[in-house]
């Protein structure tokens, strides 16, 4: 469904602020910030964030399609987005993701790095609040959707926190980790709640679980072969050292994101081509790509490849280029 009302922007500051904030809960943010954390900050922090993010998002997406609460009516609400209008509203997965990512990052780093506790708490609160408010501004959720999403995410964080170290240890050391990481998400995707009409939630869920599965296999493989783990370094004052560090951070990110995007493009084309040959449909046939037997393998294989590339291939390339 498209936007049902035309609108005139009267305050461009709020318009661009909340449009940008809304993007912080979408794929473009996940595919940049989560790998950036792995390449430049700390592997253990990134692992915990990805595990929490995948669990929270799966529960949020499934909850939408079980509850089936509608989004705000337009009119009177003016909707600034088109794609997500086909989904149900409660809970807001943008609010869930923003709360999960910001506070898991804060929790995972507060005991490892020296920075003011209050500053980290405020930064996490501001980040999640901006994303939550953006869902109201764009007309995609009610206040109850947003509050419900943030509260569900907070409860899940509290429940998961005591098991963080245990889960992380099992992901790195268990011989069953690769099989578990692939089979369980696939089973969940193929058994996603069925709707009377097509909704992008199943595809989005498959994307998230696929990326987390590929990354988890990468974590396990790196640990088996003792791949060098990047951890944040305490940078001493001094402009030359800070400048040098920033150059390396930027270089790692640019090289990594180019490889990740190339992997996504190649795998997407390849998998769609294979599935199109198998099920006899052209690659541009949108309706065929929405079928269960096509959408799940297409998105799962594509994004598990992306997750694996980000955690294994890119760090190896960083080493070869002398960027570690």
């Amino acid at each position: 469904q498209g936007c049902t009302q035309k609108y005139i922007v009267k305050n461009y500051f709020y318009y661009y602020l909340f449009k940008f904030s809304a993007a912080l809960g979408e794929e473009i943010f996940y595919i940049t910030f989560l790998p950036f954390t792995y390449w430049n900050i700390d592997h253990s922090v990134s692992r915990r964030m990805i595990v929490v993010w995948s669990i929270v998002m799966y529960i949020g997406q499934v909850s939408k399609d079980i509850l089936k609460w509608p989004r705000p009516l337009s009119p009177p609400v003016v909707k600034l987005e088109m794609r997500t209008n086909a989904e149900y509203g409660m809970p807001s997965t943008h609010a869930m993701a923003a709360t999960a990512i910001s506070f898991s990052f804060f929790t995972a780093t507060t005991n490892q790095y020296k920075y003011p506790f209050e500053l980290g708490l405020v930064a996490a609160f501001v980040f999640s609040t901006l994303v939550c408010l953006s869902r109201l501004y764009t007309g995609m959720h009610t206040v109850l959707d947003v509050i419900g999403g943030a509260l569900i995410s907070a409860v899940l964080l509290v429940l998961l926190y005591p098991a963080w170290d245990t889960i992380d240890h099992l992901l790195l050391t268990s011989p069953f980790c690769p099989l578990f990481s692939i089979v369980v998400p696939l089973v969940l995707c193929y058994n996603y709640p069925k709707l009377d009409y097509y909704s992008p939630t199943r595809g989005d869920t498959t994307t998230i679980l696929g990326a987390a599965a590929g990354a988890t296999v990468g974590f396990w493989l790196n640990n088996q072969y003792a791949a060098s783990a990047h951890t944040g370094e305490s940078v001493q004052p001094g402009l030359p050292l800070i400048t040098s560090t920033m150059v390396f951070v930027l270089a790692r990110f640019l090289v990594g994101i180019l490889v990740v995007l190339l992997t996504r493009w190649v795998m997407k084309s390849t998998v769609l081509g294979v599935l199109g040959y198998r099920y006899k449909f052209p690659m541009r046939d949108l309706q065929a790509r929405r079928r269960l037997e096509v959408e799940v393998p297409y998105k799962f294989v594509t994004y598990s490849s992306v997750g694996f590339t980000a955690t294994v291939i890119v760090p190896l390339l960083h080493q070869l280029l002398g960027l570690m």
Side-chain angles (χ1 to χ4, degrees), residues 154-288:
V155 170
L156 290 172
L157 276 172
V158 171
L159 294 176
L160 288 170
Y161 179 73
W164 269 19
D165 292 338
T166 302
I167 294 172
D168 192 53
H169 178 73
L170 290 173
L171 291 180
L172 294 178
T173 61
S174 173
F176 302 105
C177 173
L179 181 63
F180 180 87
S181 300
I182 297 298
V183 171
V184 172
L186 270 176
V187 169
L188 293 176
C189 292
Y190 274 108
N191 290 277
Y192 193 82
K194 292 179 174 60
L195 298 176
D196 296 331
Y197 65 93
Y198 177 79
S199 169
T201 49
R202 184 183 64 202
D204 292 344
T205 303
T206 306
T207 295
I208 292 164
L209 294 184
T216 302
V217 173
F219 300 151
W220 181 86
L221 194 63
N222 286 337
N223 186 67
Q224 302 308 305
Y225 291 93
S228 59
H230 183 87
T231 55
E233 300 172 359
S234 56
V235 179
Q236 300 298 324
L239 185 60
L241 183 57
I242 294 176
T243 303
S244 175
T245 302
M246 292 303 297
V247 168
F248 272 86
V249 166
L250 183 61
R252 281 194 293 264
F253 176 72
L254 291 177
V255 169
I257 205 66
L258 285 174
V259 173
V260 164
L261 292 176
L262 179 62
T263 299
R264 184 177 68 164
W265 177 73
V266 170
M267 293 305 299
K268 179 179 180 180
S269 302
T270 303
V271 176
L272 272 179
V274 172
L275 291 170
Y277 177 79
R278 168 66 177 83
Y279 294 107
K280 310 301 181 187
F281 68 87
M283 289 180 61
R284 296 183 181 275
D285 188 342
L286 183 60
Q287 293 302 318

Side-chain angles (χ1 to χ4, degrees), residues 46-118:
S46 181
R47 290 195 303 268
R48 286 162 170 76
M49 289 175 61
I50 289 173
V51 169
V52 170
W53 168 68
S54 59
I55 293 173
V56 165
M57 288 299 288
Y58 174 76
I59 292 174
Q61 296 284 71
V62 169
S63 298
K64 280 178 184 286
D65 291 339
I66 291 176
L67 293 174
K68 298 183 179 181
W69 287 20
R71 289 183 181 269
L73 293 177
S74 176
V77 169
V78 177
K79 296 187 177 181
L80 307 188
E81 295 180 12
M82 297 174 63
R83 177 179 178 274
T84 55
N85 199 33
E87 301 177 6
Y88 289 108
M90 177 68 174
S92 166
T93 46
H94 274 71
M96 292 184 71
T99 303
I101 288 176
S102 59
F103 282 95
S104 62
F105 181 81
F106 166 64
T107 305
T109 57
T110 187
N111 293 324
Q112 296 190 41
Y113 299 97
K114 293 181 179 179
Y115 64 84
F117 176 87
E118 295 79 6

Side-chain angles (χ1 to χ4, degrees), residues 20 22-34 257 261 264:
F20 173 77
L24 297 178
E26 298 171 358
E27 180 184 349
I28 186 63
F29 174 73
Y30 304 145
I31 209 169
T32 53
F33 178 71
L34 294 177
I257 205 66
L261 292 176
R264 184 177 68 164

